[in-house]
Amino acid sequence: RLIGTLPEYAQMRRFSPARGRFLHGADRAERMVVLGDAVSRELNPQGVRPGDIVWLGGQPYETVGVLKPLGVNFAGEDEDRQAFIPLETYRRRVANRAWLSHLYLQVNADADSAETARQVVRVLRVRHDRLDHQIDDVIARDMAEAAMQQSTLSTAAVWIVSLTSGVLLVLGVVGIATLMVQTVRQRAGEIGLRRAVGATPFAIAVQLFLEAMALAGAGVVGGVIIAITGALVGQRICGGLVTVDSGLLFL
């Protein structure tokens, strides 16, 4: 996505550059571009550097910054696959139009966001000369409400995954216990021989326990390797950013 915007956009969206800077007021109508992390890496495996030239629509643009990885937002858009140019540059050289398609408003923490949204729609209806019987030609969305809905869905997903993981854990424990019981039955002769030559019940229990732990450990290591490999392959095929939480893997 190519976005024409103002310098305040980065502050409102909490974007921060990994290299270089975001747009400045002095870039008002210049051919300057800020790249998302994924776009930068696709254009150059080592990453585009500030000062490099990027071609947009057959026109050279100077790269002034590259953003830190952002990932996918609540709307499902990959924010690392975006490029930003000054609003006036976008109007004159790309869109060739005077009007805007999106406005971002930042309100105070104690503000009534619902009432603010209604007032915004009311003001835009007046400016667009909409009559009383005509439907709104703008959509006002409360990002906090959307984020709350996403949080609710994420919480539900975590509970489902946790419940599923718990069931799988129980099944795994039952499976290993069944395997151990079967192993003991099949190795009754071996266990009897070891007892006859002086092995203690504790020594035999330790042997069986270590064998079971080795089997479980091999399963965990194999599962982690498959999971990380699958995540990296999915990242390469579908794009986006995949991070591996070492603490969670250890747990």
Side-chain angles (χ1 to χ4, degrees), residues 136-248:
D136 296 334
D137 61 345
V138 295
I139 298 175
R141 291 180 178 174
D142 186 349
M143 306 295 277
E145 182 179 345
M148 186 178 299
Q149 293 176 354
Q150 182 196 25
S151 177
T152 302
L153 291 176
S154 299
T155 302
V158 167
W159 275 105
I160 293 174
V161 170
S162 300
L163 181 61
T164 305
S165 301
V167 172
L168 292 176
L169 179 62
V170 171
L171 291 177
V173 170
V174 172
I176 292 179
T178 303
L179 179 62
M180 291 306 302
V181 171
Q182 195 68 19
T183 300
V184 171
R185 288 179 176 176
Q186 292 177 348
R187 299 168 64 181
E190 176 189 345
I191 294 173
L193 179 59
R194 290 202 60 197
R195 290 282 289 134
V197 296
T200 64
F202 178 77
I204 296 175
V206 168
Q207 174 190 347
L208 296 176
F209 173 75
L210 293 178
E211 290 178 359
M213 289 300 295
L215 179 63
V220 169
V221 172
V224 168
I225 293 175
I226 293 174
I228 294 177
T229 303
L232 296 177
V233 171
Q235 173 180 279
R236 183 165 294 275
I237 294 176
C238 303
L241 179 65
V242 175
T243 58
V244 179
D245 189 336
S246 56
L248 187 58

Side-chain angles (χ1 to χ4, degrees), residues 27 61 63 72 82 90 95 100 127 137 153 175 178 216 228 236:
D27 303 330
Y61 285 71
T63 303
V72 178
Q82 299 181 131
Y90 183 86
L100 304 175
R127 293 189 177 184
D137 61 345
L153 291 176
T178 303
I228 294 177
R236 183 165 294 275

Side-chain angles (χ1 to χ4, degrees), residues 5-205:
T5 187
L6 299 175
E8 293 80 6
Y9 184 85
Q11 178 182 355
M12 296 182 66
R13 300 299 308 280
R14 297 182 181 178
F15 293 170
S16 56
R19 297 186 296 274
R21 60 175 175 81
F22 199 72
L23 301 173
H24 284 175
D27 303 330
R28 185 172 181 272
E30 301 296 327
R31 288 200 293 252
M32 305 291 188
V33 63
V34 177
L35 302 176
D37 179 72
V39 175
S40 171
R41 288 187 286 105
E42 287 180 3
L43 293 175
N44 185 344
Q46 285 73 41
V48 176
R49 309 296 302 183
D52 292 348
I53 299 300
V54 174
W55 291 80
L56 298 175
Q59 296 292 325
Y61 285 71
E62 179 184 351
T63 303
V64 295
V66 177
L67 297 179
K68 292 181 180 179
L70 300 167
V72 178
N73 61 22
F74 64 87
E77 300 168 337
D78 187 353
E79 298 200 330
D80 294 325
R81 295 180 179 274
Q82 299 181 131
F84 306 88
I85 62 176
L87 179 58
E88 287 303 315
T89 304
Y90 183 86
R91 282 175 166 177
R92 299 178 185 180
R93 299 181 180 273
V94 178
N96 193 28
R97 67 170 187 247
W99 63 87
L100 304 175
S101 56
H102 290 81
L103 290 172
Y104 283 88
L105 302 174
Q106 189 174 36
V107 299
N108 296 329
D110 57 349
D112 186 345
S113 57
E115 177 60 25
T116 302
R118 286 191 291 270
Q119 292 182 15
V120 168
V121 173
R122 193 177 305 121
V123 169
L124 291 177
R125 282 186 62 90
V126 172
R127 293 189 177 184
H128 296 174
D129 296 326
R130 305 294 290 179
L131 301 177
D132 292 340
H133 67 276
Q134 292 179 311
I135 62 173
D136 296 334
D137 61 345
V138 295
I139 298 175
R141 291 180 178 174
D142 186 349
M143 306 295 277
E145 182 179 345
M148 186 178 299
Q149 293 176 354
Q150 182 196 25
S151 177
T152 302
L153 291 176
S154 299
T155 302
V158 167
W159 275 105
I160 293 174
V161 170
S162 300
L163 181 61
T164 305
S165 301
V167 172
L168 292 176
L169 179 62
V170 171
L171 291 177
V173 170
V174 172
I176 292 179
T178 303
L179 179 62
M180 291 306 302
V181 171
Q182 195 68 19
T183 300
V184 171
R185 288 179 176 176
Q186 292 177 348
R187 299 168 64 181
E190 176 189 345
I191 294 173
L193 179 59
R194 290 202 60 197
R195 290 282 289 134
V197 296
T200 64
F202 178 77
I204 296 175

